[in-house]
């Protein structure tokens, strides 16, 4: 069997980490099995869909490194859905309904009031042709429901195991709106059939849709694909992410300086039996991927964990890979490789390197804690050339001359040389700062 999967966002907003997880799991599964990854834009809701969100989806997926083999837009496939609806009508599986949203809501309330499940009562099936003509003469346009078989629907979910729903416990889903446009349920199945989707991997908020969609596949003469429903992410406290999703959009995370591979690594492993750790290539994640490692437990998305992976990735990032991005920050020239080795271990974000570059390569006002001590230390600076060993030689001489040691010795030197309390090892920074600047800073001058 050829593996083909799809990621099917609705372009009604920005992608967030929850969507990204579904996208990554689909992509890794496809790549692991040498299959296809299709980007399906679910834009049948013309009112809420926006071109700018389609652009954002493409940009975000590319940022994550998830190229697609094919892209389809549901809005360009409307005749196919109309044709499928025709076939369902001919098979008497699609029936017109005339209730207004208010009437449906009133029915629901009555059912709930009587302790009954709020399942659509199929009243429209009892309308005669004359009833329908009368309703249409009043100006009502029908919406169309799929007539479910009242039988058990079962499937082996690749994540949830055996699932079953009885058709009678579900409302006949509305497939076509009053204005003639299709709702999500039908186009999704039509496309899954036509694009030969082998596995539908999506969030567990779609589990009940699956029961109806399995019947729809069969009504359209196709075998349903394998389904896999992923539990939805929660925040670190176990709450749904929906309220915080604004701050967890991929666009924001990108703007905050999160590395795509840090996010890929986290989302590929969350909720699996593998330990969460950073990977330096998507290929590695592809090799390790196995749908069978995904469990039913609710995975927690913890931004602190993402920060941690981001830092680990930067700490191991080779200069060659960082170079173009460093150049964009103005960090280039012969000192750049040594500079990167010196500072990467201290970074939480790549952009923070710019601050350390300023410390090493641009004039800066020192912080002077003890002018007399610092002047003495300045006088002991060895002549250049300097290397990583210079720091130990110099501070050894300062210690011998002043009797200071430990924090008393090092802290004033760090403040004078960098104007910062903490930072990369001074033995690495000192040669980058150079003798002229170091000497001037130690004596209180901006240099
Ligand atoms: N557009 C649907 C969603 O975003 C797709 C669901 C599916 O994968 O079938 O929830």
């Amino acid at each position: 069997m050829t593996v083909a999967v799809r990621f099917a966002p609705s372009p009604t907003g920005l992608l967030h980490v929850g969507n990204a997880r579904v996208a990554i799991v689909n992509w890794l599964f496809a790549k692991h099995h040498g299959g296809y990854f299709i980007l399906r834009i679910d834009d049948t809701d013309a009112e809420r869909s926006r071109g700018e969100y389609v652009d954002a989806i493409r940009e975000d997926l590319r940022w994550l490194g998830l190229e697609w083999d094919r892209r389809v837009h549901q809005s360009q496939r409307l005749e196919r859905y109309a044709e499928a609806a025709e076939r369902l009508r001919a098979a008497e599986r699609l029936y017109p309904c005339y209730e207004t949203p208010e009437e449906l809501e009133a029915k629901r309330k009555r059912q709930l009031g009587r302790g009954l499940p709020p399942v659509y009562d199929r009243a429209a099936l009892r309308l005669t042709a004359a009833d329908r003509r009368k309703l249409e003469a009043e100006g009502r346009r029908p919406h169309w429901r799929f007539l479910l078989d009242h039988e058990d629907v079962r499937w082996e979910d690749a994540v949830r195991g055996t699932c079953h729903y009885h058709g009678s416990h579900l409302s006949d889903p509305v497939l076509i709106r009053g204005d003639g446009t299709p709702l999500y349920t039908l186009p999704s199945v039509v496309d899954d059939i036509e694009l030969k989707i082998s596995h539908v991997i999506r969030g567990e908020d779609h589990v009940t849709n699956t029961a109806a969609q399995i019947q729809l596949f069969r009504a359209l003469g196709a075998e349903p694909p394998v389904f896999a429903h992923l539990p939805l992410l929660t925040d670190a406290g176990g709450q749904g992410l929906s309220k915080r999703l604004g701050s967890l959009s991929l666009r924001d995370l990108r703007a905050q300086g999160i590395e795509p591979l840090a996010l890929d690594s986290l989302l590929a492993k969350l909720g699996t039996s593998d330990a969460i750790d950073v990977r330096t290539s998507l290929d590695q994640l592809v090799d390790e991927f196995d749908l069978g490692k995904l469990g039913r437990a609710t995975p927690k998305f913890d931004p602190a964990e993402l920060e941690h992976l981001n830092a680990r990735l930067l700490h191991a990032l080779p200069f060659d890979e960082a170079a173009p991005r460093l150049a964009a920050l103005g960090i280039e020239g012969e000192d750049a490789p040594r500079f990167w080795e010196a500072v990467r271990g201290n970074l939480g974000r790549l952009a923070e390197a710019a601050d350390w570059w300023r410390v090493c390569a641009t004039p800066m006002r020192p912080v002077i804690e003890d002018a007399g001590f610092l002047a003495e230390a300045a006088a002991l600076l060895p002549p250049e050339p300097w290397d990583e060993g210079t720091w130990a030689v110099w501070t050894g001489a300062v210690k011998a001359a002043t009797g200071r040691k430990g924090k008393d010795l090092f802290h004033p030197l760090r403040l004078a040389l960098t104007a910062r309390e903490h930072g990369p090892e001074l033995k690495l920074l000192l040669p980058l700062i150079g003798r002229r600047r170091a000497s001037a800073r130690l004596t209180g001058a901006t240099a």
Side-chain angles (χ1 to χ4, degrees):
M1 168 176 64
T2 308
V3 164
V5 297
R6 80 299 193 280
F7 173 56
S10 307
T12 54
L14 294 172
L15 295 185
H16 52 69
V17 290
N19 308 123
R21 175 163 184 256
V22 173
I24 286 171
V25 169
N26 271 287
W27 188 86
L28 291 173
F29 181 74
K31 298 298 143 185
H32 187 88
H33 293 282
Y36 297 97
F37 174 73
I38 295 170
L39 172 58
R40 189 183 87 196
I41 303 290
D42 283 5
D43 56 354
T44 53
D45 184 343
E47 229 160 77
R48 293 175 60 227
S49 300
R50 300 245 199 89
E52 70 200 70
Y53 291 131
V54 177
D55 295 342
I57 288 165
R58 297 169 65 188
E59 200 177 307
D60 289 341
L61 290 181
R62 291 214 164 101
W63 175 66
L64 289 171
L66 314 183
E67 264 304 328
W68 47 93
D69 300 294
R70 184 170 172 194
R71 175 165 54 100
V72 297
H73 285 245
Q74 291 196 321
S75 59
Q76 293 164 11
R77 300 168 57 79
L78 297 175
E79 333 75 72
R80 291 173 164 88
Y81 312 139
E83 189 264 337
E86 238 2 276
R87 280 165 53 205
L88 293 172
R89 263 184 212 107
E92 299 188 345
R93 297 296 298 272
L94 200 59
Y95 62 97
C97 303
Y98 295 84
E99 294 93 341
T100 63
E102 296 73 34
E103 287 164 353
L104 288 173
E105 187 48 32
K107 269 189 204 209
R108 250 176 59 84
K109 286 214 176 108
R110 275 200 304 278
Q111 286 168 313
L112 288 172
R114 276 191 258 132
L116 298 169
V119 172
Y120 178 60
D121 62 5
R122 294 184 161 177
L125 276 183
R126 294 186 293 272
L127 296 174
T128 62
D131 293 335
R132 289 202 291 269
R133 270 197 305 279
K134 185 162 167 275
L135 288 162
E136 290 188 22
E138 285 170 13
R140 296 206 191 202
R141 289 280 151 271
H143 53 275
W144 297 76
R145 287 186 190 261
F146 177 56
L147 186 68
L148 290 171
D149 278 329
H150 281 181
E151 61 183 31
D152 212 24
V153 184
R154 281 180 179 268
W155 75 93
E156 276 311 310
D157 195 285
V159 171
R160 298 168 67 85
T162 307
C163 297
H164 54 93
Y165 282 85
H166 200 274
S168 61
H169 296 159
L170 303 170
S171 289
D172 290 339
V174 178
L175 300 190
I176 311 286
R177 295 185 185 88
D179 66 3
T181 59
L183 273 136
Y184 153 78
T185 310
L186 176 67
S188 184
V189 170
V190 170
D191 290 344
D192 288 343
I193 294 172
E194 194 173 313
L195 301 174
K196 299 192 167 53
I197 297 302
S198 63
H199 294 72
V200 169
I201 306 172
R202 58 187 177 189
E204 70 183 4
D205 47 335
H206 284 287
V207 167
T208 46
N209 286 337
T210 297
Q213 286 184 331
I214 284 177
Q215 290 203 7
L216 202 42
F217 274 97
R218 300 218 163 101
L220 291 169
E223 260 315 293
V226 175
F227 286 92
H229 290 93
L230 311 180
L232 303 182
L233 302 184
T234 65
D235 66 16
Q239 298 296 307
L241 279 182
S242 54
K243 281 193 212 79
R244 304 199 33 236
L245 286 177
S247 62
L248 294 174
S249 72
L250 300 194
R251 183 176 286 186
D252 275 9
L253 293 173
R254 181 159 75 238
Q256 287 164 29
I258 292 297
E259 301 291 315
L261 266 173
L263 190 57
D264 290 330
S265 299
L266 178 59
L267 295 178
K269 300 294 183 186
L270 261 189
T272 73
S273 48
D274 283 346
I276 292 176
D277 200 355
V278 76
R279 296 287 180 262
T280 50
S281 78
L282 278 171
D283 288 344
Q284 218 177 329
L285 291 171
V286 169
D287 285 346
E288 295 165 357
F289 186 80
D290 179 355
L291 204 50
K293 291 178 181 171
L294 281 150
R296 286 194 65 169
T298 309
K300 292 187 167 67
F301 178 83
D302 182 357
E305 196 157 27
L306 181 59
E307 300 285 335
H308 174 71
L309 294 178
N310 206 60
R312 281 180 54 92
L313 198 70
L314 291 174
H315 300 173
L317 190 65
F319 175 73
D320 292 346
E321 283 176 41
R325 294 166 64 197
L326 295 176
L329 295 170
I331 301 169
E332 51 197 342
E334 62 171 338
D335 279 347
R338 263 192 314 149
F339 167 80
W340 179 245
E341 295 305 319
V343 304
R344 65 179 181 172
N346 272 76
L347 304 178
R349 303 275 194 264
L350 185 118
E352 291 161 14
D355 184 46
W356 291 111
W357 184 250
R358 280 191 292 277
V359 168
C360 294
T362 64
M364 181 208 85
R365 211 165 102 179
V367 174
I368 301 299
E369 234 181 21
D370 180 340
F373 163 69
L374 291 169
E376 218 177 328
L380 290 168
L381 280 171
E384 284 180 319
W386 282 3
D387 59 23
E388 283 183 26
T390 304
W391 172 256
V393 172
W394 175 47
T395 53
V398 177
K399 181 178 174 182
T402 63
R404 291 198 187 210
K405 55 185 190 218
K407 193 164 183 260
D408 284 347
L409 171 65
F410 299 121
H411 190 65
L413 298 179
R414 177 177 285 281
L415 278 179
L417 292 169
T418 69
R420 280 145 186 79
E421 295 276 346
H422 307 284
E425 283 189 86
L426 283 164
K427 71 171 188 181
L428 302 177
L429 289 183
L430 190 64
L432 293 159
I433 292 169
R435 194 175 195 287
R436 182 186 59 79
R437 270 208 172 95
S439 173
R441 288 180 188 173
L442 290 164
T443 49
T446 294

